[in-house]
Amino acid sequence: MYNQNRHTYESGIIGNCAYIAHVEKSTNISWLCWPTFEDSFVFGGMLDKESGGEFSIKPESGIKESKQYYVENTNILSTVIDSDDGRYKVTDYAPRFEQYERYFKPLVLIRKIERVSGHPKILVTCNPVLNYGKGQFEKFRGSNHIQYEYADVKMRLTTNMPISHIFDDTSYVIGKPIYLILTYGSPFEVPIERTAEDFFKRTKNYWQVWVKHASIPSFYQKEVIRSALALKLHQYEDTGAIIAASTTSLPEFPGSGRNWDYRYCWLRDSYYVLTALSHIGHFEEMEKYAAYIANITQTDRGRLQPLYGIMGQHDLTEETVDHLNGYLGNKPIRIGNQAYEHIQNDVYGQAMIALLPLFTDHRFRHQNHSFTEQWTTFILNKIESTIDEHDAGIWEFRNLENRHCYSNLFQWAGATAALKIAKQYDFPELHSRATLLREKAKTYIEDCYDSKRGAYTNAAGGSNLDASTLQLIMMNYLDPMSEKAKNHLCELEKELKGENGLFYRYLHRDDFGKPKATFLVCAFWYVEALACVGRLDEAQEVFKKLLSYGNHLMLFSEDVNDQDGSQWGNFPQAYSHVGLVNAAYRIATKLDSPAFFESLYE
């Protein structure tokens, strides 16, 4: 579809729900934040090749060819390097498995190097940094390790390779398998080879059993599995939070200035994430995420923010880091995200419908019965107090406020969810309040309807169209089979559809000018909308095209350039993978419906 010169992220990710590391095809660890997703990188070559540190296993004679692949149905990554001296394989993984009735997920990164053919000579470089490249570790040489120290932070590289070759930067000919084990905070004081192999087997088994227990449709099953595995890595298991991406400041398109820090949890997007987790049948992750949301809504008695830190932190003050060059020279580098200050009133409805299963699904409701009325009342109070307000909207406009259709839609959905709870638990007062709020939200949504075009605009009194209004169809505010829904979709297509299935969020000017990149999750929403209105063949065709925008490992970015299919924005983007999973399930459900099979024989 596109030429091979399009920009893609030439890396994969590994992790264990405590951290995520990016492994380039060159073998370099180009991004790793320790001890948590939100801390400084210890390897950040993605943002600055000089100041970002390095952890690579490169051939002395240079790389002729490199290939990467995941061990099937796992988050274990293999990189095969060809050089003039021979071929070798690097296997990277983060240990994760069940032990002592809990999950073992240490801050340990294991790299295994194996000779495949010839006599490859390698140069192992391990130079971590701190404080976003400003802090340099002091190195201390041990008999089988290198100790890295900076203030009270300690890291250690333990290996069965002669330590002199690493410490003195000299090449080494691979013979028997080599293990490089990097730890944070604690030394690795157990047998190297035996422990690394045991961890590998147990980690491989953990991921393959996790996939086996997932509910995966037959429709593009392999791609859904990879997206599910990628999504799983973005959950910070200690608290249940799911981050948008593990990276910061990868530009939406070159020179755009739209370089954001996505290492946080967008409460505003919780409905989509929980829907995806529900689809794949992993209720443990769903419960943890729901508990994180419930904890925030119970403790934050003020206005709910669009996003929070992985520990539920409120203050995510945005700063710029000027000493780093940025990805391909793109600045600014942002740490923190000013969007936490924004007013986004859809967040209350998001929280309500996201947690609805905990109160109405009989598998969970017995655990939450005691605070159902209190929590539902709290959210309804928030919807009631904000429903008349203007806000920044889903796309977080920094200097623009409107009464957005999307915000009112989620107020409508939140009130609808409250009605279901009120009926099931017999809360008459809540039922009355929810009914009134639902009707008010509906009135505001209808204020956005442009009868001449037969479409809903992004805000009352405006003329701009917005991909977020696809949700009017997907959430059954509009009957998907109605002419109103079909006309609305057609108008969005005319204005926002790019080539080959891509979809723009919007095309009007915002705080940073006019967007030039498409937002990938919107394209997957488009697929869902097509399936909803009965255009199932088109939905399948567009879905297939969208798969071409993944990189060599089927990992998807936040944004895609409509002209050449290049990947941009933070990577991999959890919500792009959420979009893929939800779109695949939407299509699979339609394909599996009796009506579809009956139509085959008409």
Side-chain angles (χ1 to χ4, degrees):
M1 187 183 300
Y2 292 112
N3 65 54
Q4 296 302 308
N5 294 324
R6 69 189 181 105
H7 173 268
T8 59
Y9 292 108
E10 297 286 282
S11 61
I13 57 171
I14 61 168
N16 59 6
C17 301
Y19 76 85
I20 291 175
H22 292 238
V23 186
E24 291 183 335
K25 288 179 77 174
S26 68
T27 74
N28 186 40
I29 305 292
S30 60
W31 189 258
L32 169 59
C33 296
W34 264 356
T36 76
F37 295 147
E38 294 175 357
D39 287 298
S40 166
F41 59 71
V42 293
F43 298 110
M46 185 179 286
L47 293 184
D48 194 310
K49 294 189 182 301
E50 299 300 322
S51 300
E54 181 179 352
F55 189 9
S56 63
I57 306 156
K58 295 180 179 178
E60 184 184 47
S61 58
I63 298 173
K64 289 176 64 178
E65 188 178 2
S66 173
K67 294 181 181 178
Q68 276 187 323
Y69 61 91
Y70 281 105
V71 175
E72 189 172 12
N73 292 350
T74 76
N75 279 311
I76 298 170
L77 185 62
S78 291
T79 307
V80 179
I81 299 291
D82 277 306
S83 71
D84 288 335
D85 299 318
R87 175 182 295 177
Y88 61 95
K89 179 173 74 170
V90 179
T91 300
D92 289 299
Y93 67 98
R96 178 177 173 82
F97 46 84
E98 196 169 348
Q99 182 170 262
Y100 308 129
E101 299 181 354
R102 55 188 181 269
Y103 289 116
F104 180 65
K105 50 182 191 307
L107 296 179
V108 175
L109 190 158
I110 299 179
R111 318 195 75 180
K112 180 181 179 181
I113 311 164
E114 300 171 89
R115 183 183 72 87
V116 177
S117 62
H119 302 283
K121 291 181 185 177
I122 57 171
L123 288 164
V124 175
T125 303
C126 185
N127 291 320
V129 295
L130 265 184
N131 194 17
Y132 293 100
K134 285 185 176 179
Q136 300 297 317
F137 282 90
E138 192 173 358
K139 296 199 302 185
F140 299 93
R141 178 174 178 164
S143 55
N144 298 103
H145 71 264
I146 299 174
Q147 179 89 355
Y148 302 90
E149 296 186 7
Y150 177 86
D152 61 345
V153 178
K154 292 180 173 62
M155 292 173 57
R156 180 177 287 197
L157 179 65
T158 306
T159 182
N160 63 337
M161 175 179 167
I163 207 72
S164 301
H165 289 276
I166 303 174
F167 204 85
D168 298 327
D169 298 318
T170 57
S171 63
Y172 181 73
V173 179
I174 304 172
K176 66 176 186 177
I178 297 166
Y179 300 88
L180 302 172
I181 301 169
L182 188 68
T183 58
Y184 183 96
S186 303
F188 193 79
E189 295 179 327
V190 290
I192 294 174
E193 295 95 330
R194 191 170 71 219
T195 306
E197 287 298 328
D198 178 56
F199 282 8
F200 174 83
K201 290 174 184 174
R202 296 172 76 177
T203 299
K204 177 182 176 183
N205 181 67
Y206 167 81
W207 287 118
Q208 291 181 339
V209 169
W210 187 86
V211 168
K212 188 167 66 174
H213 289 167
S215 172
I216 305 292
S218 56
F219 182 77
Y220 285 97
Q221 194 174 63
K222 184 177 179 181
E223 290 76 12
V224 173
I225 288 172
R226 179 50 51 200
S227 284
L229 284 164
L231 176 59
K232 170 70 172 172
L233 288 188
H234 286 76
Q235 182 165 51
Y236 187 68
E237 191 168 71
D238 281 357
T239 63
I242 295 178
I243 57 172
S246 57
T247 54
T248 179
S249 304
L250 302 184
E252 291 186 9
F253 52 88
S256 65
R258 302 170 190 259
N259 310 357
W260 315 118
D261 191 346
Y262 273 12
R263 297 172 297 165
Y264 305 109
C265 181
W266 264 255
L267 194 64
R268 184 205 65 204
D269 294 319
S270 53
Y271 165 67
Y272 307 118
V273 175
L274 281 165
T275 298
L277 290 173
S278 176
H279 282 325
I280 62 178
H282 271 293
F283 297 108
E284 182 180 356
E285 290 79 6
M286 185 177 168
E287 280 192 277
K288 285 180 182 293
Y289 188 41
Y292 167 84
I293 297 169
N295 184 63
I296 286 173
T297 58
Q298 287 294 299
T299 57
D300 190 341
R301 286 310 190 180
R303 183 184 288 275
L304 288 182
Q305 299 175 185
L307 67 156
Y308 289 84
I310 56 175
M311 263 75 81
Q313 309 98 302
H314 297 212
D315 188 350
L316 307 176
T317 302
E318 185 176 297
E319 301 173 350
T320 58
V321 177
D322 298 325
H323 64 276
L324 297 175
N325 290 326
Y327 182 77
L328 299 181
N330 282 272
K331 290 189 174 186
I333 311 299
R334 291 186 171 93
I335 307 301
N337 198 309
Q338 188 250 335
Y340 83 95
E341 298 177 342
H342 290 184
I343 294 173
Q344 293 181 32
N345 290 328
D346 62 300
V347 68
Y348 306 108
Q350 283 270 0
M352 180 70 85
I353 61 176
L355 297 194
L356 181 65
L358 295 187
F359 303 117
T360 57
D361 190 315
H362 287 272
R363 289 170 292 183
F364 307 118
R365 60 172 267 170
H366 68 281
Q367 303 170 6
N368 306 293
H369 194 282
S370 60
F371 69 97
T372 301
E373 185 173 14
Q374 176 192 355
W375 188 84
T376 307
T377 300
F378 167 72
I379 295 294
L380 276 182
N381 286 344
K382 293 295 185 184
I383 293 175
E384 190 172 51
S385 65
T386 60
I387 196 167
D388 298 321
E389 291 182 346
H390 290 201
D391 68 3
I394 180 179
W395 308 126
E396 298 172 351
F397 300 125
R398 296 201 165 196
N399 297 297
L400 300 169
E401 286 194 345
N402 279 302
R403 203 173 71 232
H404 288 98
C405 183
Y406 182 86
S407 298
N408 293 137
L409 172 64
F410 272 88
Q411 289 161 339
W412 174 87
T416 303
L419 272 175
K420 183 173 182 179
I421 292 171
K423 288 177 182 176
Q424 198 170 111
Y425 287 85
D426 192 22
F427 297 148
E429 184 182 346
L430 280 180
H431 189 282
S432 297
R433 290 185 65 200
T435 300
L436 289 172
L437 286 171
R438 189 174 187 263
E439 288 307 307
K440 191 170 191 178
K442 183 177 180 181
T443 299
Y444 284 154
I445 294 169
E446 291 306 315
D447 286 346
C448 300
Y449 186 65
D450 181 340
S451 57
K452 290 183 179 179
R453 285 192 287 177
Y456 288 81
T457 59
N458 75 324
S463 60
N464 297 317
L465 298 186
D466 186 321
S468 68
T469 61
L470 288 165
Q471 295 294 335
L472 293 166
I473 301 168
M474 294 152 60
M475 296 180 68
N476 286 307
Y477 173 83
L478 296 175
D479 176 355
M481 300 313 294
S482 68
E483 287 305 309
K484 203 169 190 180
K486 293 175 181 178
N487 289 341
H488 177 60
L489 179 56
C490 286
E491 290 301 311
L492 290 177
E493 286 177 304
K494 288 178 188 176
E495 185 161 320
L496 301 177
K497 183 181 177 183
E499 298 177 12
N500 301 304
L502 291 169
F503 225 83
Y504 288 91
R505 287 178 285 185
Y506 52 86
L507 284 172
H508 58 274
R509 182 173 292 276
D510 63 16
D511 321 324
F512 290 81
K514 198 171 182 179
K516 294 182 181 178
T518 68
F519 201 51
L520 191 55
V521 73
C522 293
F524 286 117
W525 291 351
Y526 173 52
V527 169
E528 286 198 71
L530 286 172
C532 285
V533 301
R535 294 163 59 183
L536 195 55
D537 289 342
E538 290 175 76
Q540 293 178 78
E541 181 184 347
V542 173
F543 185 90
K544 183 178 180 181
K545 288 178 179 177
L546 295 181
L547 296 182
S548 68
Y549 302 120
N551 76 348
H552 60 291
L553 294 167
M554 287 307 292
L555 296 176
F556 292 85
S557 61
E558 174 192 9
D559 301 278
V560 177
N561 184 298
D562 186 37
Q563 302 306 310
D564 62 8
S566 290
Q567 291 186 321
W568 294 102
N570 283 298
F571 171 86
Q573 173 79 346
Y575 302 139
S576 295
H577 289 278
V578 163
L580 186 152
V581 170
N582 288 339
Y585 272 86
R586 183 82 70 170
I587 293 172
T589 300
K590 294 288 185 180
L591 291 175
D592 291 342
S593 70
F596 174 79
F597 289 105
E598 289 166 9
S599 69
L600 293 178
Y601 302 102
E602 288 178 357

